[in-house]
Amino acid sequence: RAVAVTQPGGEACRGFGFVTFSLAEDAQRALQEITTFAGHKISTTLAKPKARQKEKKKKGDAVETPQEEQKPKKTRGATKKARLIIRNLSFKCTEEDLKAAFAPFGTVLEASLPKKPDGKMRGFAFVQFKNVLEAGKALKGMNMKEIKERPVAVDWAVPREKYQAAQATASHPGTAPKKPVKAMQEETVGDEGDSSSG
């Protein structure tokens, strides 16, 4: 998230702004690498919280403790955001092949190829990057590119619970009655039967 600070009551920029990063390492990297903006030399520093925010935290220890406990969880959640799903994957593909294909875009922490209970490949994989920036570069750079002679579809991975909930909603819409769905299925089967016999 980026915000340019403007004059009170106006749209003219005051010459500074704030950029919020989801990962501390991305912020540190920006501090080191970004020295110009729109052709002008800029100075980057970490923003310090305003005094009034500190006062709110000091009001009660009970309020401060849950926030501190949540921070590690957010960090773990943020690393999961740097996770990609690769679909239409060749059954010949290995974890090493995936790591080699995605390594040019950043640090690949993990590449996993889910398998069926019988040990056969499922045709998709997950690649976990160190941070969201690298994962984003990989998504743009590898989507519709070939791995093992097959074009792959690369997208952001979502947690299993969210995916299953979305699938349940898509396959069982709350307002659609069940009977028309069955009728449509019967018609489809009937159409297939007619086309094969004729």
Side-chain angles (χ1 to χ4, degrees):
R1 197 179 89 140
V3 178
V5 179
T6 57
Q7 298 289 347
E11 292 183 17
C13 183
R14 291 179 60 190
F16 66 97
F18 298 93
V19 178
T20 305
F21 291 90
S22 57
L23 297 174
E25 57 205 25
D26 289 342
Q28 290 297 327
R29 187 171 168 194
L31 284 172
Q32 294 170 355
E33 295 179 8
I34 299 174
T35 57
T36 61
F37 179 76
H40 299 282
K41 188 175 178 181
I42 61 169
S43 170
T44 55
T45 58
L46 289 176
K48 294 178 176 58
K50 291 184 177 180
R52 64 177 180 224
Q53 289 176 341
K54 288 180 183 178
E55 290 172 17
K56 286 180 186 176
K57 288 181 182 177
K58 288 180 183 179
K59 285 183 181 179
D61 291 337
V63 174
E64 202 168 319
T65 307
Q67 287 176 348
E68 288 175 7
E69 289 173 6
Q70 287 176 357
K71 283 182 183 176
K73 290 179 187 175
K74 285 182 182 176
T75 304
R76 280 188 229 119
T79 59
K80 287 290 185 186
K81 288 180 183 175
R83 188 173 172 91
L84 300 176
I85 184 168
I86 295 82
R87 296 183 178 97
N88 195 40
L89 201 58
S90 167
F91 294 136
K92 298 174 188 173
C93 192
T94 65
E95 288 180 11
E96 289 74 26
D97 293 330
L98 279 174
K99 286 180 181 178
F102 285 89
F105 302 98
T107 305
V108 177
L109 299 178
E110 178 188 18
S112 62
L113 293 152
K115 295 181 181 178
K116 295 178 183 176
D118 63 4
K120 292 182 180 177
M121 304 290 277
R122 289 184 178 263
F124 68 93
F126 295 101
V127 175
Q128 176 70 51
F129 279 88
K130 186 177 179 182
N131 61 50
V132 177
L133 185 67
E134 293 174 348
K137 287 178 185 175
L139 187 145
K140 289 177 185 173
M142 287 301 295
N143 192 32
M144 302 313 294
K145 297 288 190 269
E146 287 190 5
I147 298 177
K148 291 283 182 181
E149 300 176 4
R150 276 184 79 106
V152 295
V154 182
D155 203 355
W156 295 105
V158 296
R160 183 179 297 191
E161 299 79 28
K162 285 185 182 179
Y163 175 78
Q164 289 172 339
Q167 291 300 308
T169 304
S171 62
H172 304 292
T175 57
K178 291 182 181 177
K179 288 183 183 178
V181 173
K182 285 182 184 176
M184 285 173 46
Q185 289 173 343
E186 289 169 7
E187 288 172 16
T188 305
V189 171
D191 290 344
E192 289 174 3
D194 292 343
S195 65
S196 63
S197 63

